[in-house]
């Protein structure tokens, strides 16, 4: 009897661990991370789940922090990583905002270990990337803001959130094709989804900047 109790407790612990948050914790040995993206010992590695305890992931939301820049970045961070700095996903995307190494390189960040270990650097990188994408998409923001595409009202914050997901170039294609050229990432999130989910935030605090660097 004691043996069966121990087995039941062990299985219950596995269920709890694999159901925590909107991510499943995976062992580092479960997949291979490229050498350029290997992280310091102790970093957490996650893979998104489609649902949590029977709820859609979208039903689990971060605390409401308003519609200003801080609310925008924290809402986006919650969607990307549950707001956790020391995270690498199964595709090698890094940190609280799940940046790819190539995007970080464009902003002047080359040491991925240092990036993961520095919340301050991650926050600077996010603001820098917003400024950079604002510049790249400045004409499209001006042209499409307030219009509806596929029933979704286009806003500056929605455009920039979508650019964080899929890249500024793909967002341009989406807008200029009036939604015909949508892009979905490996976990099922699309440009149109981000346009809607992150619409209506005031991110005027961050000014556009050409070739922005950290």
């Amino acid at each position: 009897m004691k043996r069966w109790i121990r087995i039941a407790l062990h299985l219950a612990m596995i269920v709890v661990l694999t159901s925590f948050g909107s991510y499943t914790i995976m062992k580092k040995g479960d997949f291979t991370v490229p050498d350029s993206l290997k992280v310091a010992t102790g970093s957490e590695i996650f893979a998104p789940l489609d649902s949590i305890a029977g709820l859609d992931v979208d039903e689990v939301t971060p605390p409401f922090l308003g519609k200003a820049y801080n609310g925008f970045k924290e809402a986006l961070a919650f969607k990307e990583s549950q707001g956790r700095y020391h995270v690498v996903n199964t595709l090698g995307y890094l940190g609280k905002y799940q940046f790819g190494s190539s995007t970080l390189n464009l902003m002047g960040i080359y040491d991925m270990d240092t990036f993961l270990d520095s919340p301050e650097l991650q926050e600077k990188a996010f603001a820098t990337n917003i400024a950079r994408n604002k510049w790249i998409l400045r004409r499209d923001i001006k042209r499409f803001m307030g219009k509806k595409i596929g029933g979704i009202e286009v806003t500056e914050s929605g455009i920039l959130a979508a650019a964080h997901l899929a890249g500024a170039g793909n967002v341009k294609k989406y807008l200029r094709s009036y939604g015909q050229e949508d892009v979905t990432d490996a976990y099922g999130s699309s440009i149109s989804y981000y346009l809607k989910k992150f619409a209506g935030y005031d991110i005027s605090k961050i000014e556009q900047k050409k070739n922005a660097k950290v």
Side-chain angles (χ1 to χ4, degrees):
M1 177 64 71
K2 289 183 179 179
R3 179 172 176 269
W4 285 109
I5 291 174
R6 286 198 301 270
I7 292 172
L9 288 173
H10 181 69
L11 290 173
M13 184 175 294
I14 291 173
V15 170
V16 169
L17 287 174
T18 56
S19 299
F20 181 77
S22 63
Y23 289 79
T24 297
I25 301 177
M26 300 180 67
K27 296 177 182 178
K28 288 186 180 181
D30 289 345
F31 61 93
T32 301
V33 177
D35 289 341
S36 61
L37 295 177
K38 286 183 179 178
V39 299
T41 301
S43 294
E44 300 166 294
I45 302 181
F46 297 87
L49 287 173
D50 290 332
S51 62
I52 306 167
L55 295 176
D56 289 337
V57 169
D58 292 336
E59 293 180 30
V60 182
T61 56
F64 180 68
L65 298 175
K67 283 292 191 176
Y69 172 70
N70 191 53
F72 171 74
K73 72 184 185 69
E74 294 303 326
L76 185 55
F78 188 85
K79 175 69 172 97
E80 295 291 323
S81 71
Q82 280 196 322
R84 302 177 187 188
Y85 289 103
H86 300 289
V87 171
V88 181
N89 78 0
T90 55
L91 299 177
Y93 288 88
L94 308 156
K96 180 178 177 180
Y97 301 102
Q98 293 291 277
F99 278 107
S101 58
S102 59
T103 299
L104 292 173
N105 291 168
L106 289 174
M107 296 186 287
I109 299 172
Y110 301 97
D111 188 329
M112 300 301 116
D113 288 344
T114 297
F115 177 75
L116 274 176
D117 287 339
S118 175
E120 182 181 3
L121 182 57
Q122 292 189 35
E123 296 297 340
K124 286 182 178 179
F126 182 77
T128 299
N129 197 48
I130 293 295
R132 174 177 166 270
N133 282 332
K134 270 195 177 187
W135 171 265
I136 296 170
L137 292 162
R138 63 194 185 281
R139 294 189 179 91
D140 297 275
I141 291 171
K142 184 177 180 180
R143 176 183 173 188
F144 289 99
M145 268 186 61
K147 294 183 178 180
K148 286 191 174 183
I149 296 178
I152 300 169
E153 183 175 352
V154 178
T155 66
E156 180 182 54
S157 61
I159 288 175
L160 293 170
H164 184 84
L165 172 76
N170 283 321
V171 174
K172 281 186 179 183
K173 291 177 182 178
Y174 174 88
L175 294 172
R176 295 176 187 185
S177 69
Y178 287 87
Q180 295 302 305
E181 295 190 39
D182 205 349
V183 170
T184 301
D185 74 0
Y187 302 125
S189 294
S190 64
I191 288 175
S192 55
Y193 173 77
Y194 268 49
L195 274 174
K196 181 178 181 180
K197 185 172 181 66
F198 299 105
Y201 288 89
D202 177 6
I203 50 176
S204 57
K205 175 180 178 179
I206 307 297
E207 298 181 0
Q208 65 183 32
K209 186 175 181 181
K210 184 179 182 180
N211 297 324
K213 304 285 185 182
V214 173

